[in-house]
Amino acid sequence: MTKMKHPRFLTHYRSISSRFSLPSEGGRGRFLLTVILLAFCVGLQAQESEKYVVKTASGMVRGFDQEGSIAFLGIPYAQTERFMPPQPAKPWSDKRECNKWGPQAMQRVFGRKLGEDEMSEQCTVLNVWTTDLHACKPVMVWLHGGGFDSGTSAWNPGMSLAQNDVVVVSVNHRLNILGFLDLSACSPRYKESANVGMLDVVAALQWVRDNIRQFGGDADNITIFGESGGGGKVGTLLCMPAARGLFHKAIIMSGTILNVNTKSMSEELGKAVLRELGIDAAHIDLINDVPYDTLYAAGQRAMAASIGTRAPGTPMMWGFGPSPDGVNLLQQPFQPGFAAISDDIPILIGTTFNELQRLTYDQPMNEKKAREALQKTFGVDTDDYIRTFKSTYPDRTPQDWLSIDWLFRPKTIITADYISTHRNAKTFMYMFTWRSPVNKGSVHGHELKFCFNTLRHGKNELPEPTSADQQLADRMSRVWAQFAHTGDPNIPELPLWHPYNPDNGEMMIFDYNCRITNNPDRDLEDIINKHCFKQLDEFRQKHAQ
C-alpha cells in the first residue's frame, strides 16, 4: 500500500479507523473496509484543500493555513521586461500552489547564491493573508524597507496582523538599477524607465483593486503602509497620479529621508551608465543583454563619476530611485509635503527614538565626555543642545544625548506641520520608544515586530518576549488595523489620541506605558535640524542657482 505522508490525511485516517473494530480474520473484508476508509479520507483531504482555493483574474491559486490565517504566497501580479512598465500577469490554467515565497527583486546578496525561484528579474509577486475569504475587510498593503535598493516582502509576514480583522498584502517589485535607471534622454522607447519600480507597485495596487474581494478584502478601503524605504515608497505613491484612487489611507514609518533626485540628475546618471557599458544611444537595446551583476557594478561606477555616491547615514538620497517627470511622479515627497492629489488621504506618521544613530549605551559616558563628542556636530550650540535635551528628556542619560535619532524625527515634524495645515485629511503622529534588552535602543525597524505582532519570529533584538512585550504588540497591531478600518487609530485601551497640528504637537508614545505627549521636543529638533542637514541645505542652494 502507498505510504501516507500528509499529516492531516493520517489524522483523518487514524481518527476514523479507530472507531471500527476490524476482524482479526477475513483479510478480504479487512482490505475492503480499509479501501473505503482511505477513499473517505482522500475526500476529506480534498475538501479541506479546496476551501483555500481562490479564483483571480489570471488563474486559480491555492493557499494554506499559516498560524491561524489563510496565506497565499508568491502570487504573480504582473510580468516585466527590462526598463519597461509592467504588464498584466500571464494567465495560468492549473491551480497554482502559493505555499512559498516568490522571488525577491534582483539585488546585491552576500553568502550563498540564490536560485531564480528566490531572486529574479521576474519578481512582481505579492502575498495575501486573510481569515475569511467571504468577508469584506479593510486591506493593508505593505511595502518593505531597504531603500529603493534592496529588500523583500518575506521580512514581514502578515498572518498575525490579519487576525485584527484586516486582509494583509505585501509586495515585491523591481529595485535599484532595474527599477530606476533613467534612459529617457537616450531613447523615447525608455521614456518611463526612471520609475518602473514604482509603476510595479501601482500595478500591485491595481491587482488588489481587481482581485482582493475574492480574498475577503474591501477594494474600497485600502491602506498602504511601509517602513524606512517602504515609508519613502508610501510617500512617493502619494505623489503619483496613476495611484490615485487605489488607496485610501497611508502609514509612513521612519520614512522621511529626502529623495533629492531631479529629472536632470537621473538623466545624467542614465547617460553615465551607458558610457560605463560602452553602449551608445543607437544601440541602446544592448543593455537588455547585460548580466545583472555587470549592470549593477556599472551603475555604481557611473554614480561616482557623475552625480556622486551617497554615503551611509546621509540625510538625503539620490541615484537609483524615483525621479519626478511630471507624468508618473509629480514631485518628491516630504519636501515638505505631498502632491495635492492626495489631500484627502489620512496619514499616520512616526519614528523610533534612536533610528539609525550609532548607540553609545555600552560605553561609559559622563557629561564632559558627551559634550566633547557633541561639539563635533553642534559647535557653539552644544550647550544649548544639552540644556534643551535635559529639559525635554529629564530622565535620560549622557548616552542618550549622542544616541537619539538625528535623521528622521526633525523632517517628520516638518512634514507633519505642513500636511496637517495644508490638507483636508487628518494626520496622526507617534514615536516608538521601547528599548531592546539586547542593545538598549529603540532602533530603526524595531517597531515592525510589534505592529505585525510577530515577536517570536526572529530573536535578534528580543530573545525572550515578556507579557509586557506581548501586550505592547497586541496594542500596536490593533492600532495599525484600527487606522486601516477608519482612518482614526484610537482604541479603547489607550489614551484619547487627537489629530496632530503644529500647535498641539500631539503624539502617541508606544512603550510599556503608552501615553500622549504634546510638542515634547520641538525646540530640541530645531537645533538638530539646523546642524544635521547642512548637506541638504547646500544641495538646495546649489540647485536653486
Side-chain angles (χ1 to χ4, degrees):
M1 183 182 295
T2 302
K3 187 176 181 180
M4 294 175 292
K5 296 182 178 180
H6 197 289
R8 287 189 175 175
F9 187 98
L10 285 172
T11 300
H12 291 317
Y13 178 76
R14 289 168 179 164
S15 174
I16 297 171
S17 63
S18 67
R19 301 178 187 179
F20 294 86
S21 178
L22 299 180
S24 59
E25 299 180 1
R28 184 177 181 184
R30 185 183 184 95
F31 174 76
L32 288 175
L33 184 54
T34 299
V35 170
I36 292 170
L37 287 174
L38 284 172
F40 183 70
C41 290
V42 168
L44 284 178
Q45 185 64 38
Q47 184 180 16
E48 184 172 274
S49 66
E50 287 302 302
K51 74 180 181 180
Y52 296 145
V53 173
V54 170
K55 182 179 181 181
T56 74
S58 299
M60 306 288 279
V61 294
R62 179 183 283 116
F64 66 102
D65 185 292
Q66 187 178 32
E67 300 182 25
S69 292
I70 309 169
F72 300 81
L73 305 182
I75 304 174
Y77 65 84
Q79 57 182 322
T80 62
E81 178 184 347
R82 267 196 187 182
F83 312 119
M84 294 288 117
Q87 299 299 315
K90 190 178 299 183
W92 57 87
S93 55
D94 297 334
K95 290 175 184 174
R96 189 181 187 98
E97 297 293 340
C98 293
N99 55 10
K100 65 178 183 178
W101 299 106
Q104 67 184 33
M106 298 298 293
Q107 56 195 270
R108 287 183 301 174
V109 293
F110 304 94
R112 70 181 181 88
K113 184 177 178 61
L114 301 183
E116 281 199 21
D117 62 332
E118 298 173 285
M119 185 170 73
S120 170
E121 292 199 26
Q122 294 298 327
C123 64
T124 43
V125 296
L126 53 74
N127 318 292
V128 181
W129 291 268
T130 184
T131 58
D132 186 351
L133 297 175
H134 306 290
C136 189
K137 300 182 179 185
V139 181
M140 302 185 71
V141 179
W142 171 249
L143 303 176
H144 66 73
F148 293 93
D149 183 71
S150 60
T152 170
S153 59
W155 287 345
N156 303 108
M159 61 278 176
S160 296
L161 180 57
Q163 291 167 29
N164 288 283
D165 201 31
V166 294
V167 175
V168 179
V169 179
S170 62
V171 179
N172 283 357
H173 62 98
R174 285 174 286 181
L175 299 167
N176 54 73
I177 195 167
L178 291 179
F180 303 101
L181 175 60
D182 189 353
L183 299 172
S184 61
C186 307
S187 169
R189 167 173 159 79
Y190 297 99
K191 63 182 181 179
E192 296 179 288
S193 64
N195 292 301
V196 294
M198 287 304 303
L199 291 176
D200 288 350
V201 180
V202 173
L205 290 172
Q206 292 169 337
W207 184 96
V208 169
R209 176 197 61 198
D210 297 339
N211 293 277
I212 205 63
R213 291 190 190 281
Q214 306 306 314
F215 297 84
D218 182 357
D220 295 321
N221 191 1
I222 295 172
T223 298
I224 54 174
F225 70 129
E227 185 268 346
S228 189
K233 295 166 193 175
V234 170
T236 302
L237 287 170
L238 288 164
C239 303
M240 295 184 70
R244 188 177 187 181
L246 296 177
F247 63 92
H248 312 93
K249 305 172 191 71
I251 303 174
I252 299 170
M253 306 161 62
S254 304
T256 50
I257 285 184
L258 302 185
N259 180 356
V260 296
N261 271 348
T262 63
K263 185 61 176 171
S264 61
M265 288 174 66
S266 63
E267 288 178 351
E268 180 183 352
L269 179 56
K271 293 174 184 177
V273 169
L274 291 182
R275 287 195 298 270
E276 288 291 332
L277 294 170
I279 298 174
D280 60 25
H283 301 88
I284 191 172
D285 289 344
L286 291 175
I287 197 170
N288 294 303
D289 300 322
V290 177
Y292 172 76
D293 289 343
T294 303
L295 183 66
Y296 188 95
Q300 298 306 298
R301 295 194 305 272
M303 198 182 308
S306 58
I307 62 175
T309 301
R310 176 179 180 263
T314 302
M316 56 188 191
M317 68 146 293
W318 63 87
F320 297 112
S323 175
D325 59 5
V327 178
N328 289 317
L329 181 60
L330 300 180
Q331 67 173 73
Q332 295 290 11
F334 313 117
Q335 300 196 5
F338 311 106
I341 57 173
S342 63
D343 279 356
D344 294 322
I345 303 295
I347 292 176
L348 173 62
I349 188 169
T351 59
T352 70
F353 185 78
N354 300 106
E355 293 289 1
L356 294 172
Q357 191 77 352
R358 184 176 179 180
L359 303 181
T360 59
Y361 296 123
D362 61 346
Q363 302 175 21
M365 185 77 61
N366 56 32
E367 291 197 11
K368 180 176 181 296
K369 188 175 180 180
R371 178 179 279 102
E372 291 173 354
L374 289 167
Q375 284 176 339
K376 298 175 184 178
T377 300
F378 297 100
V380 297
D381 289 332
T382 298
D383 287 343
D384 192 21
Y385 173 89
I386 293 172
R387 183 169 52 254
T388 307
F389 196 109
K390 287 181 175 181
S391 175
T392 303
Y393 298 108
D395 297 329
R396 296 282 182 167
T397 66
Q399 283 94 339
D400 288 304
W401 301 356
L402 295 166
S403 301
I404 193 174
D405 166 40
W406 291 350
L407 193 60
F408 292 91
R409 175 71 178 154
K411 296 306 180 188
T412 297
I413 291 177
I414 291 170
T415 295
D417 283 353
Y418 185 87
I419 64 176
S420 64
T421 54
H422 288 77
R423 305 168 73 250
N424 302 322
K426 295 177 181 178
T427 301
F428 293 88
M429 183 183 281
Y430 73 89
M431 182 186 286
F432 182 77
T433 62
W434 171 92
R435 291 185 178 223
S436 164
V438 175
N439 60 27
K440 310 304 180 186
S442 178
V443 306
H444 196 62
H446 268 181
E447 77 279 30
L448 294 181
K449 293 186 184 303
F450 287 84
C451 67
F452 276 92
N453 209 343
T454 51
L455 297 187
R456 300 184 186 278
H457 289 257
K459 302 291 187 178
N460 292 341
E461 67 269 9
L462 188 57
E464 295 296 335
T466 66
S467 59
D469 294 324
Q470 188 57 60
Q471 182 185 66
L472 178 59
D474 291 342
R475 287 177 171 177
M476 287 188 66
S477 61
R478 285 193 59 202
V479 165
W480 262 240
Q482 176 64 24
F483 184 79
H485 273 264
T486 65
D488 186 319
N490 279 284
I491 61 173
E493 298 94 320
L494 297 182
L496 182 62
W497 185 359
H498 295 102
Y500 178 95
N501 64 59
D503 293 328
N504 69 19
E506 183 126 339
M507 179 169 68
M508 177 69 76
I509 299 294
F510 285 109
D511 208 330
Y512 295 139
N513 175 29
C514 295
R515 58 198 183 277
I516 292 293
T517 62
N518 296 88
N519 270 327
D521 58 350
R522 182 175 291 275
D523 292 341
L524 178 66
E525 297 303 333
D526 284 345
I527 299 171
I528 293 172
N529 188 62
K530 173 183 175 182
H531 288 273
C532 295
F533 290 85
K534 291 181 179 178
Q535 186 180 14
L536 175 61
D537 295 336
E538 291 168 359
F539 174 88
R540 285 174 167 166
Q541 290 173 6
K542 176 182 176 181
H543 288 269
Q545 295 173 356

